[in-house]
Amino acid sequence: MVDIKRLQEEGYDVIVIIGEVDASSSIELDNAINEAVKSGKKKFLVDCTSLEYISSAGLGVFMSYIEEFKRNDINLVIFGLNDKVANVFEILGLDQLLKIEGTKEEAKALLG
């Protein structure tokens, strides 16, 4: 079960992921990212401090947007991954393809 919220905070679009992203709930993550991209904004934070688990389908959602982010000059920074989730991102090499920081402050600093 996942709860995904989109917030506006200090000029950033923030996507907050709470709970678990699996095959069935990855659609909600895809919808949230898609809406954010369509908004025309260029700076996004993805708050994963309450993300407990992400399946390959959830990771696939992030992977599916990598080229679109580059093409449209969109900066997305993920932060707050717990060790277990961060390890999954690293195993798949997503830590090399996506910007990942430990804290919201570090993520904001990276966005500028």
Side-chain angles (χ1 to χ4, degrees):
M1 188 89 164
V2 71
D3 186 20
I4 299 177
K5 299 177 173 139
R6 279 190 56 220
L7 312 167
Q8 302 300 310
E9 187 178 299
E10 301 172 18
Y12 302 106
D13 207 31
V14 183
I15 299 169
V16 182
I17 307 172
I18 302 164
E20 300 181 356
V21 178
D22 57 20
S24 61
S25 62
S26 66
I27 295 163
E28 292 178 54
L29 176 60
D30 186 46
N31 289 339
I33 294 174
N34 190 37
E35 287 174 20
V37 168
K38 284 183 179 177
S39 75
K41 294 191 175 159
K42 301 290 184 186
K43 294 182 179 182
F44 301 100
L45 296 171
V46 180
D47 181 346
C48 295
T49 53
S50 297
L51 175 63
E52 299 164 9
Y53 168 83
I54 189 163
S55 71
S56 58
L59 293 166
V61 170
F62 286 111
M63 291 171 59
S64 71
Y65 282 96
I66 290 172
E67 287 304 315
E68 187 167 356
F69 294 155
K70 287 179 185 174
R71 208 173 35 250
N72 295 307
D73 198 30
I74 294 171
N75 289 305
L76 177 134
V77 181
I78 298 168
F79 72 90
L81 297 175
N82 68 38
D83 289 342
K84 184 171 76 173
V85 174
N87 190 42
V88 175
F89 274 77
E90 290 169 15
I91 288 170
L92 294 175
L94 286 178
D95 60 325
Q96 303 299 312
L97 300 172
L98 297 166
K99 298 172 187 166
I100 301 173
E101 292 293 336
T103 67
K104 182 186 279 187
E105 292 72 28
E106 291 168 335
K108 285 181 177 179
L110 190 60
L111 285 179

